[in-house]
PDB file of all heavy atoms in Angstrom:
ATOM      1  N   LEU A 479     -89.649 158.019 239.512  1.00 93.00           N
ATOM      2  CA  LEU A 479     -90.737 158.683 240.217  1.00 93.00           C
ATOM      3  C   LEU A 479     -91.316 157.748 241.272  1.00 93.00           C
ATOM      4  O   LEU A 479     -91.509 156.550 241.017  1.00 93.00           O
ATOM      5  CB  LEU A 479     -91.829 159.078 239.210  1.00 93.00           C
ATOM      6  CG  LEU A 479     -93.089 159.741 239.758  1.00 93.00           C
ATOM      7  CD1 LEU A 479     -92.766 161.117 240.324  1.00 93.00           C
ATOM      8  CD2 LEU A 479     -94.148 159.856 238.651  1.00 93.00           C
ATOM      9  N   VAL A 480     -91.595 158.294 242.459  1.00 96.00           N
ATOM     10  CA  VAL A 480     -92.159 157.514 243.561  1.00 96.00           C
ATOM     11  C   VAL A 480     -93.414 158.213 244.074  1.00 96.00           C
ATOM     12  O   VAL A 480     -93.396 159.421 244.347  1.00 96.00           O
ATOM     13  CB  VAL A 480     -91.161 157.374 244.729  1.00 96.00           C
ATOM     14  CG1 VAL A 480     -91.801 156.596 245.885  1.00 96.00           C
ATOM     15  CG2 VAL A 480     -89.893 156.680 244.268  1.00 96.00           C
ATOM     16  N   ASN A 481     -94.498 157.453 244.196  1.00 96.00           N
ATOM     17  CA  ASN A 481     -95.733 157.963 244.784  1.00 96.00           C
ATOM     18  C   ASN A 481     -96.117 157.125 245.992  1.00 96.00           C
ATOM     19  O   ASN A 481     -95.963 155.901 245.975  1.00 96.00           O
ATOM     20  CB  ASN A 481     -96.890 157.917 243.779  1.00 96.00           C
ATOM     21  CG  ASN A 481     -96.768 158.975 242.697  1.00 96.00           C
ATOM     22  OD1 ASN A 481     -96.075 159.970 242.861  1.00 96.00           O
ATOM     23  ND2 ASN A 481     -97.449 158.758 241.583  1.00 96.00           N
ATOM     24  N   VAL A 482     -96.613 157.790 247.019  1.00 96.00           N
ATOM     25  CA  VAL A 482     -97.229 157.113 248.162  1.00 96.00           C
ATOM     26  C   VAL A 482     -98.639 157.673 248.282  1.00 96.00           C
ATOM     27  O   VAL A 482     -98.814 158.890 248.465  1.00 96.00           O
ATOM     28  CB  VAL A 482     -96.443 157.350 249.466  1.00 96.00           C
ATOM     29  CG1 VAL A 482     -97.220 156.767 250.658  1.00 96.00           C
ATOM     30  CG2 VAL A 482     -95.066 156.715 249.391  1.00 96.00           C
ATOM     31  N   ASP A 483     -99.634 156.794 248.150  1.00 94.00           N
ATOM     32  CA  ASP A 483    -101.033 157.243 248.113  1.00 94.00           C
ATOM     33  C   ASP A 483    -101.227 158.354 247.086  1.00 94.00           C
ATOM     34  O   ASP A 483    -101.867 159.376 247.349  1.00 94.00           O
ATOM     35  CB  ASP A 483    -101.490 157.708 249.503  1.00 94.00           C
ATOM     36  CG  ASP A 483    -101.755 156.549 250.446  1.00 94.00           C
ATOM     37  OD1 ASP A 483    -102.094 155.449 249.954  1.00 94.00           O
ATOM     38  OD2 ASP A 483    -101.614 156.737 251.660  1.00 94.00           O
ATOM     39  N   LYS A 484    -100.615 158.164 245.904  1.00 91.00           N
ATOM     40  CA  LYS A 484    -100.742 159.067 244.755  1.00 91.00           C
ATOM     41  C   LYS A 484    -100.073 160.425 244.952  1.00 91.00           C
ATOM     42  O   LYS A 484    -100.202 161.309 244.097  1.00 91.00           O
ATOM     43  CB  LYS A 484    -102.216 159.261 244.377  1.00 91.00           C
ATOM     44  CG  LYS A 484    -102.909 157.957 243.986  1.00 91.00           C
ATOM     45  CD  LYS A 484    -104.335 158.204 243.554  1.00 91.00           C
ATOM     46  CE  LYS A 484    -105.010 156.872 243.158  1.00 91.00           C
ATOM     47  NZ  LYS A 484    -106.409 157.068 242.732  1.00 91.00           N
ATOM     48  N   GLU A 485     -99.348 160.590 246.054  1.00 95.00           N
ATOM     49  CA  GLU A 485     -98.595 161.819 246.278  1.00 95.00           C
ATOM     50  C   GLU A 485     -97.120 161.537 246.033  1.00 95.00           C
ATOM     51  O   GLU A 485     -96.580 160.542 246.535  1.00 95.00           O
ATOM     52  CB  GLU A 485     -98.790 162.340 247.707  1.00 95.00           C
ATOM     53  CG  GLU A 485    -100.212 162.795 248.017  1.00 95.00           C
ATOM     54  CD  GLU A 485    -100.600 164.053 247.242  1.00 95.00           C
ATOM     55  OE1 GLU A 485     -99.708 164.892 246.997  1.00 95.00           O
ATOM     56  OE2 GLU A 485    -101.789 164.184 246.877  1.00 95.00           O
ATOM     57  N   GLU A 486     -96.458 162.429 245.289  1.00 96.00           N
ATOM     58  CA  GLU A 486     -95.052 162.203 244.956  1.00 96.00           C
ATOM     59  C   GLU A 486     -94.152 162.346 246.184  1.00 96.00           C
ATOM     60  O   GLU A 486     -94.335 163.254 247.003  1.00 96.00           O
ATOM     61  CB  GLU A 486     -94.594 163.185 243.875  1.00 96.00           C
ATOM     62  CG  GLU A 486     -93.153 162.947 243.433  1.00 96.00           C
ATOM     63  CD  GLU A 486     -92.704 163.867 242.314  1.00 96.00           C
ATOM     64  OE1 GLU A 486     -93.551 164.638 241.792  1.00 96.00           O
ATOM     65  OE2 GLU A 486     -91.502 163.829 241.972  1.00 96.00           O
ATOM     66  N   VAL A 487     -93.201 161.446 246.285  1.00 96.00           N
ATOM     67  CA  VAL A 487     -92.166 161.513 247.323  1.00 96.00           C
ATOM     68  C   VAL A 487     -90.839 161.740 246.614  1.00 96.00           C
ATOM     69  O   VAL A 487     -90.440 160.944 245.760  1.00 96.00           O
ATOM     70  CB  VAL A 487     -92.110 160.209 248.155  1.00 96.00           C
ATOM     71  CG1 VAL A 487     -91.012 160.305 249.205  1.00 96.00           C
ATOM     72  CG2 VAL A 487     -93.459 159.932 248.797  1.00 96.00           C
ATOM     73  N   VAL A 488     -90.166 162.812 246.953  1.00 95.00           N
ATOM     74  CA  VAL A 488     -88.919 163.169 246.281  1.00 95.00           C
ATOM     75  C   VAL A 488     -87.748 162.439 246.939  1.00 95.00           C
ATOM     76  O   VAL A 488     -87.495 162.608 248.144  1.00 95.00           O
ATOM     77  CB  VAL A 488     -88.673 164.695 246.330  1.00 95.00           C
ATOM     78  CG1 VAL A 488     -87.345 165.037 245.650  1.00 95.00           C
ATOM     79  CG2 VAL A 488     -89.820 165.429 245.642  1.00 95.00           C
ATOM     80  N   LEU A 489     -87.052 161.626 246.138  1.00 94.00           N
ATOM     81  CA  LEU A 489     -85.891 160.879 246.623  1.00 94.00           C
ATOM     82  C   LEU A 489     -84.679 161.253 245.779  1.00 94.00           C
ATOM     83  O   LEU A 489     -84.817 161.535 244.589  1.00 94.00           O
ATOM     84  CB  LEU A 489     -86.125 159.372 246.515  1.00 94.00           C
ATOM     85  CG  LEU A 489     -87.340 158.776 247.234  1.00 94.00           C
ATOM     86  CD1 LEU A 489     -87.396 157.275 246.963  1.00 94.00           C
ATOM     87  CD2 LEU A 489     -87.279 159.051 248.723  1.00 94.00           C
ATOM     88  N   ASN A 490     -83.494 161.224 246.412  1.00 91.00           N
ATOM     89  CA  ASN A 490     -82.288 161.384 245.600  1.00 91.00           C
ATOM     90  C   ASN A 490     -82.002 160.056 244.892  1.00 91.00           C
ATOM     91  O   ASN A 490     -82.686 159.056 245.108  1.00 91.00           O
ATOM     92  CB  ASN A 490     -81.094 161.861 246.436  1.00 91.00           C
ATOM     93  CG  ASN A 490     -80.633 160.852 247.474  1.00 91.00           C
ATOM     94  OD1 ASN A 490     -80.679 159.637 247.252  1.00 91.00           O
ATOM     95  ND2 ASN A 490     -80.177 161.323 248.629  1.00 91.00           N
ATOM     96  N   ARG A 491     -81.000 160.059 244.032  1.00 88.00           N
ATOM     97  CA  ARG A 491     -80.765 158.885 243.191  1.00 88.00           C
ATOM     98  C   ARG A 491     -80.471 157.632 244.018  1.00 88.00           C
ATOM     99  O   ARG A 491     -81.004 156.556 243.735  1.00 88.00           O
ATOM    100  CB  ARG A 491     -79.593 159.153 242.244  1.00 88.00           C
ATOM    101  CG  ARG A 491     -79.241 157.955 241.369  1.00 88.00           C
ATOM    102  CD  ARG A 491     -78.160 158.276 240.376  1.00 88.00           C
ATOM    103  NE  ARG A 491     -77.709 157.083 239.680  1.00 88.00           N
ATOM    104  CZ  ARG A 491     -76.784 157.080 238.729  1.00 88.00           C
ATOM    105  NH1 ARG A 491     -76.220 158.214 238.357  1.00 88.00           N
ATOM    106  NH2 ARG A 491     -76.423 155.958 238.142  1.00 88.00           N
ATOM    107  N   LYS A 492     -79.638 157.745 245.037  1.00 88.00           N
ATOM    108  CA  LYS A 492     -79.284 156.575 245.834  1.00 88.00           C
ATOM    109  C   LYS A 492     -80.476 156.072 246.636  1.00 88.00           C
ATOM    110  O   LYS A 492     -80.672 154.863 246.784  1.00 88.00           O
ATOM    111  CB  LYS A 492     -78.105 156.896 246.761  1.00 88.00           C
ATOM    112  CG  LYS A 492     -76.813 157.256 246.038  1.00 88.00           C
ATOM    113  CD  LYS A 492     -76.379 156.162 245.073  1.00 88.00           C
ATOM    114  CE  LYS A 492     -75.041 156.483 244.424  1.00 88.00           C
ATOM    115  NZ  LYS A 492     -74.675 155.505 243.370  1.00 88.00           N
ATOM    116  N   GLU A 493     -81.268 156.998 247.174  1.00 92.00           N
ATOM    117  CA  GLU A 493     -82.465 156.583 247.907  1.00 92.00           C
ATOM    118  C   GLU A 493     -83.429 155.846 246.982  1.00 92.00           C
ATOM    119  O   GLU A 493     -84.017 154.835 247.374  1.00 92.00           O
ATOM    120  CB  GLU A 493     -83.141 157.816 248.510  1.00 92.00           C
ATOM    121  CG  GLU A 493     -82.354 158.455 249.649  1.00 92.00           C
ATOM    122  CD  GLU A 493     -82.849 159.843 249.997  1.00 92.00           C
ATOM    123  OE1 GLU A 493     -83.719 160.381 249.270  1.00 92.00           O
ATOM    124  OE2 GLU A 493     -82.364 160.404 250.995  1.00 92.00           O
TER     125      GLU A 493
END
Side-chain angles (χ1 to χ4, degrees):
L479 178 67
V480 178
N481 287 339
V482 173
D483 285 333
K484 299 183 180 180
E485 294 292 327
E486 183 177 354
V487 179
V488 179
L489 303 179
N490 66 35
R491 178 176 172 178
K492 297 304 184 186
E493 290 166 353

